[in-house]
Amino acid sequence: MSTCIWHNRYEEDWMRAFPLGNGRVGAMVYGGPSKEIIEINEESLWSGKQHKEVFHSTPEGLAEIRRLLFEQRFGEAFNICNETFLASPPSVRFFESFGELTVDFADKSEYTDYRKELELSEAIVRVSYKKSGDWYRSETFVSEKYDVLVHRMVTEGKPFSCSINMQRSQDAYTAALNDDTLVMNGCLVFKEGKMYGEGVEGMQFGSRVHVVTDGKLSSDKTTIYIENATQFTVYGAYATNYNVNKFDNDETINYRKKLIADIDAVKDVDYDALKKEHIADHKKWYDTFELTLDAPSYDDIPTDERVNRVSKEDVEDTDLYVLYFNFGRYLLIESSGKRATLPANLQGIWCNGFTPPWGSDYHTNINMQMNYWPAESTNMSDTFKPFTHFVKMISKFGVDTAKDLFFGEGWVINHTTDVFGRTGIHDLVGCGFFPMAGAWLCLNLWEHYEYTNDSKYLEEIYPVLKGCCDFVKSYLIESPEGYLVTSPSNSPENAFYYTNKNGERRTSGLTYAATMDCQIIYALFTRMLAACEMFDDKSYAKGLEDVLAKLPPMRVSERYGTICEWIEDYEEMDPGHRHISHLFGLFPGDQINERNPEIYQAAKNTIARRIAHGGGATGWSRAWIINFYARLKDGENARFHLHKLMKLSTAENLFDMHPPFQIDGNFGATSGITEMLLQSHLGRPGERVVELLPALPEDWKCGSVKGIKARGNFAFDITWKDNKVTKVTITSACDNTLRLKLNDVCGQVSAEKVYALEDSVLTMEFAEGETAELLFLS
Ligand code: FUC
Ligand code: CA
């Protein structure tokens, strides 16, 4: 059971550094033997500030676009969108690196016996090596309790000398306050630019670094020097003046106060006690789940070599999937659990430099939603907190956008946002237009409710869901076929071929009623109906039912046997496109399932066609495919694409590669593995049916999983042998009825607790906190 990522070779490369975090402060530890570099991030350090977006659309323009789309005059419709839809300023700003903490050693001589490891179950990076016969060992972690980074170096050999610095190459200055303390203070200045609008003197931020050592301390203007030491400990505190409840920089926040208080609280704590507490705190998050696959362990091979064995020699390393899975859970805990107040962005909280890919922002046409796919099923529900807050905030900012951009009700957001509440159409109309993003975000909220069964939470998010449904209802119009449709509409970020009125072959991304829109609306409205029932909101339910009755049905392509991606059976411009949006209903939705065999088969054909044309080329797309195959109960293909993900889209520190690094693939694949082991999407909310090992690959003969969650707040421990379930222990966190489908991995069932069996579905009543055991005989 792999829980340790390790290297025995050092290279000064951010993509080989190991990530740490406490949800708020992130760190990438390079592990350099002559110069240690720890790149720091703080979740809220974004350039820019809150900005009221300006829109240029008009009700007449929107009506004209819609008319043109119904007449298949896509080019003309697009031109109006292109001229009027883009927000001013057009782009959101960036998440940025906080700076680098460095320890520069005087001794630059050769080193041997190098080892750098990240122990996932402890959230500690350890580095060790020998120089001139002496061992040097460091440990680094980010404490949840004290909210600081801790880095300690010890040698049992000859004393050493080094210098310590905390720096950022722009917008900040560092000064030694005295011989043991550095302060860094800054203000993010963002220059005026065509895409970003006026220049901004933005967020204030700073750091306080404190050093404790048995050596001699001295300092000059910017640097602390340590001489003749056998050990030192560095404490780093980091903060900004961002206010997550305002979604803006806040001049009234004195971040320096926090830095001083944080260092004061930690600096005299005994190191071993501090570490012990850190590990115990981490285990509360991490130890809620355990996956074991009975496969050869290659823990003695460095992780980078294991990745390379898969990519270059095509080795099947099953145990590496377990490590990757554990890493996925770890990454969500470190970027969105513990002290996090903002959700995991495109890179979690780990970003190198000042202009990261896609600004390391929040993309809401799949990426942000995908980040949270494993949050509930892998039993770390509390990592979802920052997401809930974020969507609540967005729902406030999105009200003006719904009104001023689309002349609609409720709230809306499109395909990207930042931490300042941007909800308009950004970058380019072609990809930036996606008014169903909010509905998709709401479905994540719903999943949190279904997995926790927490009706207070549902009450809390009900207005947000309602506001989203209000927008969708106001956005729908009647099509010539008599359906209620979204218009304009697109299928992120694909386009299709059509023939225009002059008989010319053209492409368009815009149409009305793209399949994904209909699937998202179906998912949201059917769930909302369940919520209305709970709150006895009959008149609202009626409105939703009326819409559901008039949504266009899914269509099977006559040419390809696939699910049509758009309202018409168009040919895709890119048949291998990374977005497989029209399978939203298969995963994360539940509309496409085995109860409708024709559509289920069409979904299989849809993936096959995408893959035949080079689909799954980005890490996140491949991760999505794993979830699809799991839902199709196809364990072999799920495993095959997991293998491809390791082979083609995984870096030497196990970060997912779009490429470049993008964390959604890590999270998506973690969810995919979970879906292979347990599913609970069939049936109505509140009456879901659980299925065990629905997509177990032949190769994963024996194993066990502990703590895997099903909707309804059931936790399962499952043991299997020779591809058959042998024992299951179920704990219910609330009074509830379990419905368990006995599929072909389940033999003859027996239990001490009373159960009923009908049509291969076992039902069992649970009281809050009750545990029951099922045994299976083959
Ligand atoms: C979506 C994807 C891209 C990339 C970007 C951050 O727009 O289409 O592949 O992942 O988000
Ligand atoms: Ca965070």
Side-chain angles (χ1 to χ4, degrees), residues 726-730 740 749-751 762 764 772-776:
T726 54
K727 187 175 141 184
V728 178
T729 308
I730 305 141
L740 180 68
V749 66
S750 71
L762 175 150
M764 202 179 240
E773 199 178 270
L774 304 179
L775 296 174
F776 294 90

Side-chain angles (χ1 to χ4, degrees), residues 101 249 252 292 302 342 370 374 404 417 492 523 525 646 653 718 761:
L101 175 69
N249 312 326
T252 68
T292 313
L342 285 163
M370 181 181 277
D404 301 342
T417 190
F525 281 25
M646 296 299 117
N653 62 0
I718 310 168
V761 177

